[in-house]
Amino acid sequence: MTPHVETYKQYPFTVATGDGARLRDTKGRSYWDLYGGHAVALLGHAHPAVVRALHEQARQLTFYSNVAPLEIRDRAAEAITQFAPPGLERVFFCNSGAEANENALKLAIQQTGRTTIAALERGFHGRTLLALSATASEKLRAPFADVLTPARRLQINDVDDLSQIDESVAAVIVEPILSIAGVIELTPEYLGALRQRCNDTGTLLVFDEIQTGMGRLGRPFAAGAHGVMPDLLTTAKGIANGFPMGAVLMTEEIGARVATDDLGSTFGGGPLACAALLAVLEAIAADSLLDRAAALGQHATEVLRRGPVTAIIGRGCMLGLQVNGSARPLWSNLLERGFVTGTSGDPSVLRLLPPINTPTEALDELGAALDDIGA
Ligand SMILES: Cc1ncc(COP(=O)(O)O)c(C=O)c1O
């Protein structure tokens, strides 16, 4: 027993160190980490360029608040808005995914003067109050039902249901691929119709790219695919490869309307987070990691449809392995064989969210393990 409150169901081993896509536990056993600490270890553990950047920045300036301009913060803002597709020219830095969503929704409510939000069935957006209002899980919402903001729940990929979005809705927030729900992609038709409906009703469209962003899909963000751009985009998780950071990207028009004191966060955009983000973006460019993420996803579809796996869903380094029945026994079996994977809200889908530079050999070894497990 430790003094921690028991809020997390934990792995049956204690992690000691990580190196790339490998993890080592306190007993010296090593694992392929195909879950990346819940999509955070974008470039793998202890990535040398990120470690170097953090070390050098810590020596120069560990922290100063947002009242002081910092060159490193300006460079980070420049770099992430350049990395994002055109149309998201401004950014607000914070510390986590929930904080990014909370601020995106606050901005939407403030700027539209409306108080209702809309989000997808089975979507997950975090646990702060506005983010939780958008989150679908009744189990998570129930204790706070009286203090949550009204949210309309849209059926996934149901164009007709978009009629729920009207002139009273401030924002619609969606994950372009619903990860926790079980790697469910929004169709191009749905995304196009969603954009159009938001245009027609003056509702702001927010893409929650906390998992899909930062190159995981083989492109910088899902935004821009099929020509659909959001008004606001939130990202976190792998943005600084494990150093806590979140970001709200937004159009020039929305950004220009943000006034002093509308948003704030003591640690948001701190120099260490910014140094790590810059190192991540430099490594993605230098090592062609968008291409590698896409190639890894392709490789997965070639080598993982074996044994108990009936289909591979998702793209790039956000993948679901579909099985018949419950995926939970497979999760445990793979862990015993030295592969960390993730379950999902869909009992028959096992998720892979590996670092985008994972060697293909990791997937080959997983394929061999699946063969060995059998159907
Ligand atoms: C899609 C999505 N949105 C928001 C969040 C919340 O992020 P955080 O845990 O950093 O607050 C998560 C976390 O899993 C997520 O997957």
Side-chain angles (χ1 to χ4, degrees), residues 38 96-98 101 124-126 175 180 208 210-211 237:
H38 204 66
S96 70
N101 284 339
F124 182 83
H125 301 290
E175 296 164 82
I180 296 168
D208 175 339
I210 284 155
Q211 289 208 30
K237 298 278 191 206

Side-chain angles (χ1 to χ4, degrees), residues 244-256:
M245 189 179 211
V248 185
L249 292 150
M250 63 197 86
T251 61
E252 178 61 46
E253 193 189 343
I254 293 174

